[in-house]
Amino acid sequence: MTKNRRRSKAPVQSNASSTDTNADPQKPGLSGKKVEEVFNMSPISLCQSVLRQQLTKGLPSQRHTNNECPSIKGFQQEQRQLLDLLKRTATSGESNSVLVIGPRGSGKTTVIKNVIAELLLNDHIRENLLQVHLNGLLQTDDRIALTEITRQLKLENTVGDKVFGSFSETLQFLLEALKSGDQSSKPILFILDEFDLFAHHKNQTLLYNLFDVAQSAQAPICVVGVTCRLDVIELLEKRVKSRFSHRQIHLFNSQTIQDYIDIFKNLLQLDPQFPDQKFANSWNHHVEQLSKDPTVMDLLKQQFESTKDVRALQQLLMYPVCHLSDTSPTLSISDFVESRKLLTTDSKSAMLHGVSILELCLIIAMKHLTEIYEGEPFNFEMVYSEYSKFAQRKSSMQVFEKAVVLKAFEHLIHLELVKTVDGAGSRVQKEYRLMQMLIHGTQIMEALQKYPQCPTDVRQWAASSLAT
């Protein structure tokens, strides 16, 4: 067991380094770069490198220095509750299980990372606590999950070529292998991301065994499930549900617009450890002034009203940051506007830019039919009739044969701009099959404004209130 005990200490170091969010803020921006390269970089290039890394990882909404743990506005109570739970496992050997529930982008993962970072400030906990991170999207069955648990605990040599009869036996052996000389087990923290997906595993064996170990106190473990489904408890089998502690921590995004602006500034500002302190002070002042600009404020309000997800804000900021250069050393407001425009581009409207004039005419005909019959379904014959009336009335328009028009109509169905009405029988001749549009009239008009070399007659026909 001495050999196993020595091997079991290895994960503590690797986990602590990989999850410690309180590392020197200078390191993330300089990681992977030689010292010589850093000194050869201009301040703006180094700034861009640091900001790119800040925007590609989850950051807390408040800047933290001097090894103080970050905090998230609005979740102090929940963070303290989770910290207390994990600390009891890490210090007292008390087994627990808890679910962290909240919508996507509400800060569940960030809260857990911050709690673990604060926990690892204690030297004793950092040396003994083992961590296992599983994700329901990656560990799609119990066999893969068990292999990942073995890998993260670095017990591959211990398991070796041994043959086990069941998942439970293997898990028990792994826990036994982690016992130290005085037969006390090392505390293990299991983080299960996309927890609801583990409920779809055959017989929910992984969840059953983890909760069973936690309930029976065979080894000090804490199981933290992370999910966005409020009804996740209903997905659990009765035997699994009976072993779960039923502790739940709910996180609902309660950020204000001012909190959102603070996050905006935090994502773009440089830490005090930035090599060129004079440049960092100047840059942070620039970001402060930028946050007060009316145009930027308006963009942030639009983004805040559509989604409070910090990841969406990071995407918005990436475009202006990528355009920084020695010739353009400041963040341009026009880049923020362009970034917002790119992120909110309507895919359906953009798709219309690539259709032919004939297909565009059919879409306009369907738009008029939808307006005339107040949203009622239509069929190809009705669309062809509308198109024919328009094409014959305008001498500049080429009149296509019905077979060609039908082919164009089928292409629109393939592009999913039109769909068959549910219940419309497949036995019905395709010319008379009831259809509905999947694109709104405003999207059509918006696309027409940008359509290259759109005939004036077609644009006027689309703008007319009724098909005449």
Side-chain angles (χ1 to χ4, degrees), residues 51-310:
L51 293 180
R52 275 178 173 172
Q53 293 208 23
Q54 286 186 182
L55 294 174
T56 51
K57 64 185 181 70
L59 282 181
S61 57
Q62 295 176 344
R63 184 71 61 185
H64 57 286
T65 55
N66 302 326
N67 289 329
E68 294 180 1
C69 288
S71 59
I72 301 178
K73 291 185 179 180
F75 293 143
Q76 285 83 358
Q77 182 179 347
E78 291 84 354
Q79 192 165 315
R80 188 56 49 191
Q81 184 181 349
L82 184 60
L83 176 64
D84 180 57
L85 202 65
L86 300 188
K87 189 176 287 185
R88 294 208 300 268
T89 300
T91 57
S92 308
E94 176 185 321
S95 294
N96 289 300
S97 55
V98 62
L99 283 177
V100 180
I101 303 173
R104 296 198 184 279
S106 59
K108 302 184 294 297
T109 302
T110 306
V111 165
I112 292 172
K113 282 183 178 179
N114 292 344
V115 167
I116 293 175
E118 186 169 349
L119 206 60
L120 295 177
L121 292 177
N122 184 308
D123 293 336
H124 175 73
I125 294 176
R126 185 167 63 251
E127 291 173 2
N128 291 281
L129 180 67
L130 305 178
Q131 298 178 45
V132 176
H133 294 261
L134 303 177
N135 192 304
L137 293 170
L138 302 176
Q139 284 75 50
T140 53
D141 61 44
D142 292 335
R143 180 183 57 81
I144 299 173
L146 191 58
T147 303
E148 185 62 17
I149 292 172
T150 308
R151 187 191 68 80
Q152 291 191 32
L153 294 179
K154 297 191 176 178
L155 294 172
E156 297 97 328
N157 293 351
T158 309
V159 175
D161 298 325
K162 293 182 177 66
V163 178
F164 298 95
S166 66
F167 182 95
S168 179
E169 288 180 19
T170 313
L171 185 61
Q172 287 299 327
F173 180 82
L174 291 176
L175 296 176
E176 285 291 327
L178 291 167
K179 286 189 175 179
S180 57
D182 58 358
Q183 293 300 302
S184 63
S185 296
K186 286 182 174 292
I188 309 176
L189 173 61
F190 285 89
I191 307 291
L192 306 184
D193 263 312
E194 305 293 343
F195 179 84
D196 50 290
L197 297 182
F198 287 101
H200 297 299
H201 289 193
K202 185 179 179 182
N203 299 328
Q204 299 182 359
T205 309
L206 174 67
L207 299 181
Y208 172 78
N209 282 282
L210 288 178
F211 288 154
D212 187 56
V213 171
Q215 187 190 49
S216 57
Q218 300 172 38
I221 73 169
C222 184
V223 182
V224 180
V226 185
T227 180
C228 58
R229 288 193 59 165
L230 294 172
D231 63 340
V232 67
I233 296 295
E234 303 304 318
L235 301 177
L236 301 179
E237 293 179 0
K238 188 175 181 180
R239 63 177 189 143
V240 179
K241 197 183 298 185
S242 65
R243 284 164 173 76
F244 175 53
S245 67
H246 290 271
R247 288 190 183 92
Q248 298 181 34
I249 298 177
H250 291 269
L251 301 180
F252 294 104
N253 205 322
S254 56
Q255 291 174 350
T256 63
I257 183 62
Q258 187 56 49
D259 295 335
Y260 204 69
I261 294 172
D262 290 341
I263 295 173
F264 165 82
K265 290 189 290 186
N266 186 49
L267 287 169
L268 291 178
Q269 286 180 337
L270 298 173
D271 285 297
Q273 286 82 359
F274 190 80
D276 190 335
Q277 194 54 51
K278 182 178 179 181
F279 177 86
N281 292 335
S282 173
W283 177 266
N284 291 344
H285 178 72
H286 163 60
V287 172
E288 187 71 36
Q289 295 301 313
L290 201 63
S291 67
K292 298 176 183 177
D293 184 87
T295 305
V296 175
M297 286 277 290
D298 187 50
L299 285 174
L300 290 177
K301 285 178 182 177
Q302 291 177 26
Q303 185 79 2
F304 178 76
E305 288 169 1
S306 62
T307 175
K308 297 179 183 179
D309 192 341
V310 175

Side-chain angles (χ1 to χ4, degrees), residues 423-448:
S426 58
R427 295 182 180 179
V428 178
Q429 195 173 342
K430 56 186 177 182
E431 289 89 340
Y432 298 98
R433 203 169 292 165
L434 293 178
M435 312 295 291
Q436 271 186 334
M437 285 187 71
L438 294 176
I439 186 167
H440 195 266
T442 55
Q443 293 174 301
I444 296 171
M445 299 308 297
E446 181 184 337
L448 281 170

